[in-house]
């Protein structure tokens, strides 16, 4: 009886510790990470990782061994350390995550591309259409807790234009790999910022989000800290239960919904280490995103780095030891990657390119007075609630911002995501919308529809008298009403900048 009570007490204690840990992650209370790196013995950690990888059955790591055979430089000790960081140097969990990562990478990218560098011209060479939508972007600034911020605009998801769910999933993988080029992000983690306000109901892809959630939870080498859904629209109450059901239970506790006035939302985001000078203008911040420019600069950087020779040594690599132990023949005898990673393609020819990259440089944060005002406002307003109820540490968030967060914000390293820029063409930089905005500014009396048409938008069913105008869509299957709203918003933004 006593042992049963003791087990129950231990379970309750573990649950309480987990709640506190989740709350610390959500609010950006990461002071406990500051001294972690100095306490880690890298050589011992790698040796333990080698032991754990060797213990994994060969049938569960075929993709990893095949990658080691085809392209050993992408499986060096630095790569292994990414997974140790993701699991807080828990070697057994890190080893399992690494094996799952390569199984999932094989399944998602296929046998021809799974070993290619995670670059725009490498593993992403066939995903330019999905990438160009700007659905997943990496913000140019880390938050004040030192975490990378992945920004997702649901209204940019238009699979009807010709890309697949898997293609957008690969885009998400790519953005995560760009984020972890900053070693600090490996330690501090990643947060997601989702903007659904202008999205249609059909733009929520349950299957895609289920795949993304599984990748974050089980395979990608990141510490996923929290997700913030900002300015939900009226249909959000419909998809919210579906969205939450696509996430594991412990992940649901890391989702926070922010609604209300723009000032209230900004105040609440500040409590989670997301000040207004580090979030996009679409949600009330001051960062104007130019995704096309980011892509151009990113491609130029990757082209430059592609000339560098890989420096990984197979003899010193943890994966090299596992490769020698398992043996190539033992992996190939399995005929393919395990069932959960089969892609249906039989070829194994892989192009060789180098893919290890590093990045520095950030830009100074500004607006501290405004941020303090927002913080004061948040203390007198209703706080954002996590989906499972009120999160702990709510009253202590100010201390966290003054202490740990400010210390981290003084760091000079930032995620490799391109510079903060002032943009003329909006977050997706659609040149048709640019022309429409200019036409309307040149002639304020010009009807919105005429401005859109002058910009190059085509509405095939518009001249059909039997079709109500509010149901008309353009050649990209976007409703005319949404295009008009986008045009009005862009015009307002342009006038504010001029003013």
């Amino acid at each position: 009886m006593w042992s049963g009570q003791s087990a129950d007490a231990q379970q309750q204690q573990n649950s309480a510790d987990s709640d506190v840990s989740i709350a610390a992650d959500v609010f950006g209370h990461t002071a406990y990470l500051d001294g972690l790196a100095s306490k880690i013995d890298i050589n011992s950690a790698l040796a333990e990782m080698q032991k754990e990888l060797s213990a994994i059955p060969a049938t569960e790591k075929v993709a990893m061994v095949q990658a080691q055979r085809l392209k050993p430089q992408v499986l060096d000790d630095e790569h292994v350390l990414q997974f140790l960081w993701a699991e807080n140097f828990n070697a057994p969990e890190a080893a399992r995550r690494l094996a799952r990562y390569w199984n999932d990478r094989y399944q998602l990218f296929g046998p021809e591309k799974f070993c290619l560098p995670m670059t725009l011209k490498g593993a992403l060479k066939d995903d330019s259409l999905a990438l160009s939508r700007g659905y997943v972007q990496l913000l140019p600034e880390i938050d004040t807790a030192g975490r990378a911020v992945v920004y997702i605009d649901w209204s940019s998801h238009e699979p009807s234009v010709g890309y697949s769910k898997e293609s957008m999933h690969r885009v998400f993988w790519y953005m995560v790999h760009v984020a972890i080029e900053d070693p600090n992000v490996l330690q501090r983690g990643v947060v997601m910022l989702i903007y659904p306000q202008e999205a249609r109901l059909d733009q929520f892809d349950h299957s895609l989000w289920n795949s993304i959630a599984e990748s974050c939870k089980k395979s990608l080498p990141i510490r996923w800290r929290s997700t913030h859904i900002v300015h939900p629209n009226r249909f959000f109450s419909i998809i919210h239960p579906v969205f939450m059901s696509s996430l594991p239970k412990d992940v649901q506790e890391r989702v926070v919904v922010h609604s209300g006035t723009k000032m209230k939302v900004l105040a609440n985001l500040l409590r989670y280490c997301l000040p207004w000078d580090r979030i996009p203008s679409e949600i009330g911040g001051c960062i104007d995103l130019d995704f096309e420019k980011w892509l151009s600069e990113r491609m130029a950087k990757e082209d430059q780095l592609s000339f560098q020779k890989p420096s990984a040594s197979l003899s010193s690599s943890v994966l090299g030891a596992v490769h020698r132990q398992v043996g190539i023949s033992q992996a190939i005898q399995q005929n393919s990657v395990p069932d959960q990673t089969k892609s249906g393609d039989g070829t194994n020819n892989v192009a060789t390119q180098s893919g290890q990259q590093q990045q520095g440089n950030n830009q100074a944060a500004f607006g501290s007075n405004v941020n303090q005002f927002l913080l004061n406002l948040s203390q007198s307003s209703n706080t954002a609630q996590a989906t499972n109820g009120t999160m702990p540490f709510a009253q202590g968030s100010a201390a966290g911002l003054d202490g740990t967060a400010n210390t981290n914000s003084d760091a000079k390293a930032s995620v490799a995501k391109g510079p903060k820029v002032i943009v003329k063409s909006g977050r997706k930089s659609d040149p048709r919308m640019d022309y429409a905005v200019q036409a309307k500014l040149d002639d304020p009396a010009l009807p919105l529809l005429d401005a859109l048409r002058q910009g190059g938008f085509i509405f095939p069913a518009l001249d059909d008298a039997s079709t109500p105008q509010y149901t008309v869509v353009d050649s990209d299957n976007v409703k005319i009403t949404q295009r008009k709203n986008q045009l009005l918003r862009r015009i307002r933004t342009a006038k504010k900048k001029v003013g």
Side-chain angles (χ1 to χ4, degrees):
M1 180 180 70
W2 295 110
S3 61
Q5 292 179 350
S6 177
D8 291 341
Q10 183 63 44
Q11 185 176 5
Q12 292 177 359
Q13 181 62 43
N14 292 340
S15 178
D17 292 343
S18 177
D19 291 342
V20 172
S21 176
I22 291 173
D25 283 349
V26 171
F27 281 97
H29 293 215
T30 55
Y32 68 94
L33 294 173
D34 293 336
L36 182 60
S38 61
K39 299 177 183 178
I40 295 171
D41 185 338
I42 298 297
N43 292 330
S44 297
L46 289 173
E48 187 178 0
M49 186 69 164
Q50 176 181 332
K51 178 182 176 181
E52 295 298 333
L53 286 170
S54 300
I56 296 176
T59 55
E60 297 179 12
K61 56 187 177 187
V62 175
M64 182 181 70
V65 174
Q66 186 177 359
Q68 175 66 30
R69 177 178 68 86
L70 294 171
K71 196 171 183 186
Q73 66 266 29
V74 300
L75 286 153
D76 59 6
D77 291 349
E78 182 179 350
H79 179 70
V80 175
L81 280 170
Q82 292 176 348
F83 293 86
L84 283 166
W85 275 112
E87 295 292 350
N88 201 23
F89 282 80
N90 182 327
E93 292 297 326
R96 285 190 285 270
R97 179 178 284 264
L98 178 58
R100 285 193 300 264
Y101 168 86
W102 281 103
N103 286 343
D104 290 352
R105 181 162 169 166
Y106 183 98
Q107 182 182 23
L108 185 59
F109 289 87
E112 292 185 341
K113 295 188 296 182
F114 87 110
C115 277
L116 293 180
M118 196 64 67
T119 61
L120 296 172
K121 294 182 179 179
L124 271 289
K125 63 181 181 179
D126 299 324
D127 300 301
S128 58
L129 184 57
L131 189 67
S132 67
R133 296 300 302 175
Y135 177 67
V136 184
Q137 300 188 45
L138 212 52
L139 295 189
E141 296 284 350
I142 55 177
D143 70 3
T144 55
R147 304 170 297 186
V149 183
V150 177
Y151 177 65
I152 298 174
D153 182 355
W154 275 354
S155 69
S156 300
H157 185 41
E158 289 286 357
S160 61
V161 303
Y163 61 84
S164 65
K165 179 201 77 173
E166 291 76 17
S167 183
M168 190 60 78
H169 192 187
R170 289 191 289 270
V171 170
F172 182 85
W173 270 55
Y174 172 74
M175 290 298 176
V176 167
H177 282 78
V178 175
I180 61 176
E181 288 176 4
D182 181 356
N184 291 325
V185 171
L186 288 172
Q187 181 178 359
R188 299 290 173 178
V190 174
V191 299
M192 278 192 274
L193 194 59
I194 299 176
Y195 179 59
Q197 188 177 58
E198 297 174 12
R200 306 186 308 271
L201 181 58
D202 63 292
Q203 288 179 308
F204 170 68
D205 191 329
H206 175 268
S207 178
L208 173 61
W209 270 101
N210 188 57
S211 299
I212 288 176
E214 284 293 306
S215 293
C216 292
K217 178 67 176 175
K218 297 181 178 180
S219 58
L220 285 170
I222 57 170
R223 291 183 176 184
W224 178 78
R225 301 299 190 185
S226 61
T227 292
H228 298 269
I229 301 174
V230 181
H231 294 301
N233 58 16
R234 60 180 178 273
F235 79 75
F236 183 76
S237 60
I238 301 174
I239 63 96
H240 185 228
V242 180
F243 173 76
M244 295 303 296
S245 68
S246 68
L247 305 176
K249 174 66 175 177
D250 54 338
V251 173
Q252 295 180 24
E253 298 173 348
R254 297 173 181 269
V255 177
V256 185
V257 179
H258 303 265
S259 59
T261 65
K262 183 176 291 187
M263 291 298 290
K264 179 182 176 181
V265 168
L266 288 174
N268 283 329
L269 287 172
L270 180 60
R271 298 174 56 247
Y272 295 91
C273 298
L274 291 165
W276 79 305
D277 56 327
R278 303 192 184 201
I279 59 178
S281 57
E282 285 82 3
I283 59 177
C286 59
I287 295 181
D288 291 315
L289 301 175
D290 187 344
F291 191 56
E292 284 188 357
K293 182 175 182 180
W294 183 91
L295 284 177
S296 177
E297 293 175 348
R298 180 71 194 173
M299 186 172 294
K301 177 188 175 183
E302 291 176 355
D303 287 344
Q304 182 180 6
L305 290 173
S306 67
F307 292 104
Q308 299 180 4
K309 299 296 183 181
S311 58
S313 172
L314 179 60
S315 61
S316 64
S317 171
V318 171
L319 271 296
V322 175
H323 179 263
R324 290 191 297 272
Q325 180 196 11
V326 174
I328 297 174
S329 60
Q330 184 178 5
I332 301 304
Q333 285 172 3
Q334 306 299 328
N335 296 324
S336 66
V337 175
D339 291 342
Q340 67 270 24
T341 64
K342 290 180 180 177
S343 70
D345 194 331
T347 181
N348 288 321
N349 296 326
V350 181
T352 301
Q353 298 180 19
S354 63
Q356 296 299 326
Q357 304 164 10
Q358 292 292 328
Q359 171 72 13
N361 290 341
N362 72 337
Q363 299 184 11
F366 63 94
S368 57
N369 292 334
V370 176
N371 289 335
Q372 186 58 50
F373 165 73
L374 292 173
L375 181 60
N376 294 337
L377 177 63
S378 71
Q379 294 172 348
S380 61
S381 65
N382 294 328
T383 61
Q385 299 296 316
T387 56
N388 66 322
T390 303
M391 298 293 293
F393 291 168
Q395 300 300 322
S397 59
L401 288 173
D402 292 338
T404 304
N406 289 340
T407 300
N408 293 330
S409 65
D410 290 337
K412 295 300 180 182
S414 73
V415 186
K417 299 177 284 294
K420 183 192 303 183
V421 294
I422 301 300
V423 145
K424 296 180 180 178
S425 54
R427 62 184 178 279
K428 291 183 284 297
S429 299
D430 188 331
R432 297 174 299 176
M433 189 59 73
D434 295 342
Y435 294 141
V437 171
Q438 191 61 53
K440 184 66 175 173
L441 291 176
D442 293 341
D443 182 6
L446 185 69
L448 293 175
L449 177 57
D450 291 346
L452 290 169
R453 280 177 158 172
Q454 287 188 26
F457 290 100
I458 300 174
F459 302 94
L462 187 61
D463 296 328
D464 186 353
S466 63
T467 303
Q469 188 175 110
Y470 67 86
T471 65
V472 171
V473 296
D474 64 10
S475 56
D476 294 331
N477 202 34
V478 178
K479 287 186 177 181
I480 189 173
T481 53
Q482 185 173 350
R483 289 300 189 195
K484 288 182 177 180
N485 288 336
Q486 291 172 350
L487 177 57
L488 286 170
R489 186 175 65 254
R490 287 285 305 278
I491 292 171
R492 288 195 299 268
T493 300
K495 288 181 178 179
K496 286 180 181 179
K497 290 179 180 179
V498 172

